[in-house]
Each structure stands twice: as structure tokens, then as C-alpha cells.
Amino acid sequence: MSETTQKTDTVVENTAGPDAPAPAAALREKPRSLAQDAFRDLIRRPMFLVSAVLILFILVIAAFPGLFTSVDPLDCDLKHSMEGPSGSAWFGYNFQGCDVYSQTIYGTRNSVIVGVLTTAFSLVIGVLVGVLGGFFGKWTDALLSFVTNVFFGLPLLLAAIVILNNFRDEKGMRNAGVMAVVITLSVVGWMSMARVMRGAVMQVKQADYVAAARSLGSSTWRLMFRHVMPNSITPVVVVATISLGVVIGAEATLSFLGIGIRPPAISWGVMISEAQQRISQGLHPLLFPSGMLSITVLAFIMLGDAVRDAFDPKLR
């Protein structure tokens, strides 16, 4: 081998460098999926991090209220009626002499349960209606779209009030339990998710990979639930995240009106309803549950906005 050839080989070897990846290894690197790109974008967003921490904290309170207070929320003493915040009662007492801090902590559970279960049930209904209508089209889509539009014509709170007004206890008084509120809000709150899912399915079912799966003999149901639905559900999850905060606010509104959850059950809406009747005697029984409600609703809306921005390439 000539001296010129040896020098050329040495230059090429030094240019490549010892740490350069092998061409085969570079080819084996898989491109990141949309979900991976979205997650990398999310963790860089302060709004997502703040809202996620708040929601995690609220969920821990709802799951383990005993970690945050040892006071029984139903242990009331009239001699403390409407006392202000103090070292023994951080949020003061309500007109019945109940610890407002303890009730606010324990009220988190029912409010969060209503929000999570209602959103989950609405998501299931909306996804099924949207997938069936968007995938089959024709008369199936026309029928399901008609049903969706009928439900859209019913104002959420008005429809919920009409339904829940029929729930009575053994004394004939209006009294809807947690599950009654969940089912009612689910029945009247799935339409937006169905519309979003329908539009996403109609777009995805035209994709090349769906046509390829169909040509390989995949059944209709396999195409629908294995290929189309998983690739269409992301925008619906974003809508559901935002809706969760709205549902918690709706439950508080219904309880405030005396239609939703009623005492002795505790929720933020129940506490606000009781406090507003004696607002002239003190603001603290109203201020703290209202503050928790506002923070929770805001956190879920912020989370939904952050997730929407991360999954929409046009907004990056």
C-alpha cells in the first residue's frame, strides 16, 4: 500500500471520529410519535406543570382527606357558630358551628368524584356515538347526528334541573345523591365529545394505513376499534379534560340551587349554598369553598388548554 493511500485512510478515519454512530445504528433510530413530541412539549410549558401539580394535590386531598385534617366535618358545636379563622380552626366555623376547613377538605371528594365519573361516562358515550356515526356514515350518521342535535338543544343546567327535580327522598323532599348527579350530567353532557370524535374519525378513516388494513382483510370492527378510534381520540381527550372542570362547576351550581347533592353529604356547592344564606354574618364560610372550587376549575381548564396546544401542530 502506498504512503498516499495510508494518509488518505487516516484522514477519513479521523474525520469520522471514534464516537460517530454507525450508519446502521442511525437507520435503526425510530422517529418520535405525535404523543412523544407532545409530551416533550408539555413538560416545557409552565402552565401545564402548574396545573398538573394543582390537580395532583387536589386528587390526593379527595382520596385521603384524613391526611389533611383530623376533625370530623360533621362534628358541629353551636357555641362556635360563625367564629372567624383562628389557630384551632384555620377557616373558622359556619353557622352550625362546623369546622369550615374540615368540610372544605372532605367536600373535595364528592366534587371530584362527580367531575371524574361524569367526564368518564360522557367520554364513553361521546366516543361510541362519534365513532359509529363517523365511520359508517350515511343513515347511521344522519340518525346519530339528529339525536346529538336534539340533546344539543337542551341547555345543560336547565335539563339537569328538570331531571334532578324528580329525585325525592322518603319525606318527599328533593334529594339527589352523587350517582344521580353523575348520571344526569353524563346524559346531558356528551354531545361536544361526540361531535369532535365524529369529525376526527371521518378524517382518519381516509388515511392510507386504514385502506391498507382493509385490503389485508381486516374486519369492520377491527378497523374501527384497532386503527381508527385510537388515532382519533386525542382531540376528544383534550375536550374531556376541559369539560371536567366545567362539570365540577355545574355540580356546585346544582347543589347551590338545592337540586344536586344535599346535606348531610358535603360538597363545595352545598357549603356555598349554606354560606350564602348568612353572608351578612361572615364571609369566611363562603370564601374558602368558593376559592377551592375556582382553583380546581381553573386548573383543569389550564391543563386542557396546555394539552390542546401540545397536540395541535399548528399551535406549536
Side-chain angles (χ1 to χ4, degrees):
M1 183 179 294
S2 64
E3 181 178 355
T4 303
T5 305
Q6 292 178 353
K7 290 181 179 180
T8 303
D9 293 342
T10 303
V11 171
V12 172
E13 182 178 355
N14 292 338
T15 303
D19 298 330
L27 291 175
R28 286 196 299 268
E29 292 182 359
K30 296 181 179 179
R32 292 194 301 267
S33 65
L34 175 62
Q36 290 173 326
D37 282 339
F39 179 75
R40 289 168 64 91
D41 183 66
L42 277 174
I43 60 178
R44 296 187 179 96
R45 293 177 178 266
M47 184 170 67
F48 169 77
L49 296 176
V50 172
S51 60
V53 170
L54 284 174
I55 290 171
L56 179 61
F57 181 64
I58 291 167
L59 292 178
V60 172
I61 293 177
F64 308 103
L67 295 177
F68 299 89
T69 179
S70 59
V71 178
D72 185 350
L74 298 179
D75 185 12
C76 307
D77 190 344
L78 287 175
K79 71 179 182 180
H80 295 300
S81 178
M82 298 304 294
E83 289 185 6
S86 62
S88 59
W90 294 353
F91 292 176
Y93 296 91
N94 63 9
F95 73 100
Q96 292 178 328
C98 305
D99 190 309
V100 176
Y101 171 76
S102 177
Q103 290 206 334
T104 302
I105 293 297
Y106 277 88
T108 306
R109 174 173 291 178
N110 281 335
S111 297
V112 170
I113 286 176
V114 170
V116 171
L117 291 183
T118 299
T119 304
F121 291 160
S122 299
L123 182 63
V124 171
I125 299 172
V127 166
L128 288 177
V129 172
V131 168
L132 293 174
F135 188 84
F136 289 109
K138 298 181 180 179
W139 68 267
T140 304
D141 184 34
L143 176 61
L144 292 177
S145 295
F146 175 76
V147 174
T148 303
N149 290 333
V150 169
F151 276 88
F152 252 123
L154 302 174
L156 175 65
L157 289 177
L158 179 59
I161 289 172
V162 172
I163 296 173
L164 290 174
N165 194 48
N166 293 303
F167 286 89
R168 307 270 175 174
D169 58 17
E170 56 274 6
K171 297 180 180 179
M173 300 182 64
R174 289 193 301 262
N175 189 8
V178 172
M179 288 309 300
V181 175
V182 168
I183 294 172
T184 299
L185 292 177
S186 300
V187 168
V188 298
W190 54 269
M191 296 79 69
S192 296
M193 300 180 197
R195 278 194 171 179
V196 172
M197 190 68 186
R198 173 183 175 272
V201 167
M202 293 181 69
Q203 183 178 5
V204 169
K205 75 175 183 178
Q206 306 296 332
D208 293 338
Y209 60 84
V210 176
R214 181 180 285 109
S215 65
L216 291 174
S218 294
S219 65
T220 299
W221 297 105
R222 181 179 176 83
L223 283 173
M224 188 187 307
F225 293 106
R226 182 69 181 272
H227 299 286
V228 175
M229 189 177 76
N231 292 286
S232 308
I233 202 169
T234 299
V236 187
V237 173
V238 175
V239 174
T241 305
I242 298 175
S243 298
L244 204 156
V246 176
V247 170
I248 292 176
E251 179 277 321
T253 302
L254 292 171
S255 297
F256 175 81
L257 295 173
I259 303 296
I261 299 174
R262 299 289 297 166
I266 303 172
S267 76
W268 295 329
V270 171
M271 296 178 65
I272 294 171
S273 177
E274 293 177 343
Q276 62 88 26
Q277 300 175 21
R278 291 169 174 80
I279 194 172
S280 60
Q281 300 177 31
L283 284 175
H284 58 277
L286 176 65
L287 179 63
F288 294 107
S290 299
M292 283 291 291
L293 174 64
S294 300
I295 291 172
T296 303
V297 173
L298 179 61
F300 279 107
I301 292 176
M302 289 171 56
L303 180 67
D305 286 341
V307 173
R308 180 200 59 197
D309 294 346
F311 276 94
D312 191 346
K314 298 178 183 178
L315 299 176
R316 294 186 185 179

